[in-house]
Amino acid sequence: IIASVGGGGLICGILEGVSRHNDVLGKTQIVAAETIGASSFGGAWNNNKDVNFKLNAIDSIATSLGALQVTPVALERASKHEENGGSVRAALCTDAEAVEACVRFSQDHRILVEPACGAALAVLYSDRVREGALEGVGEGEAVIVEVCGGSGVNSELMESWRKEFL
């Protein structure tokens, strides 16, 4: 399951749902996707699950991921998921990779999404991000991407992001 992470609310809900169905979903791989300039979950997770990790600033086009610090509950639930046999990975993409994923998703599905969602989509559209994030996912296994965040985008914005980043 791939989802963009800001302050941790969405991933908390996903992890709660997975834990409620542990018999079926217990070994599920969760990928928490963020842009590098808004990586509060990834920063904490990759620093020994440090609940005190805090970004100095949000330096990303994906401003709706803009939480300086992830909720400790997200780190706790992610750790518990691993204790129960699942896995959690932080996948970090550049702003350009997030924008490219948004553009490609719009071409493939005729749906506009914001770069915050593009962070999750970059796990599929970027070879570099996909390689690390989906390691261990077998041929034919289901991959679920939580696609969200379209209220702050229109065709003019998408075109301006494309020109700026691609």
Side-chain angles (χ1 to χ4, degrees):
I1 300 174
I2 304 165
S4 296
V5 177
L10 178 59
I11 198 165
C12 279
I14 290 169
L15 288 163
E16 177 64 23
V18 167
S19 75
R20 287 184 185 181
H21 301 282
N22 194 52
D23 55 330
V24 178
L25 300 172
K27 298 200 183 312
T28 300
Q29 180 175 317
I30 307 293
V31 178
E34 299 167 294
T35 58
I36 293 166
S39 59
S40 58
F41 179 89
W45 190 254
N46 293 333
N47 283 295
N48 297 313
K49 303 166 186 153
D50 180 3
V51 297
N52 295 312
F53 179 86
K54 187 175 182 180
L55 297 173
N56 292 325
I58 302 302
D59 185 23
S60 174
I61 189 171
T63 55
S64 56
L65 292 180
L68 295 176
Q69 189 170 16
V70 70
T71 177
V73 176
L75 298 170
E76 292 165 17
R77 288 186 180 179
S79 295
K80 179 108 171 134
H81 180 63
E82 287 195 329
E83 290 168 15
N84 290 335
S87 69
V88 176
R89 292 194 177 150
L92 305 180
C93 70
T94 64
D95 283 350
E97 288 168 324
V99 168
E100 180 181 12
C102 291
V103 169
R104 290 181 62 190
F105 186 76
S106 71
Q107 292 166 343
D108 290 346
H109 299 284
R110 301 184 59 157
I111 297 172
L112 297 177
V113 294
E114 299 170 33
C117 179
L121 293 170
V123 175
L124 301 179
Y125 284 111
S126 166
D127 292 338
R128 183 193 69 80
V129 179
R130 182 176 54 251
E131 185 177 293
L134 297 183
E135 183 180 323
V137 175
E139 182 77 25
E141 287 188 80
V143 175
I144 299 167
V145 181
E146 172 66 36
V147 178
C148 58
S151 65
V153 62
N154 57 41
S155 57
E156 292 81 20
L157 269 174
M158 182 70 76
E159 181 60 17
S160 72
W161 296 332
R162 187 190 64 72
K163 286 179 180 175
E164 181 179 352
F165 289 98
L166 304 181

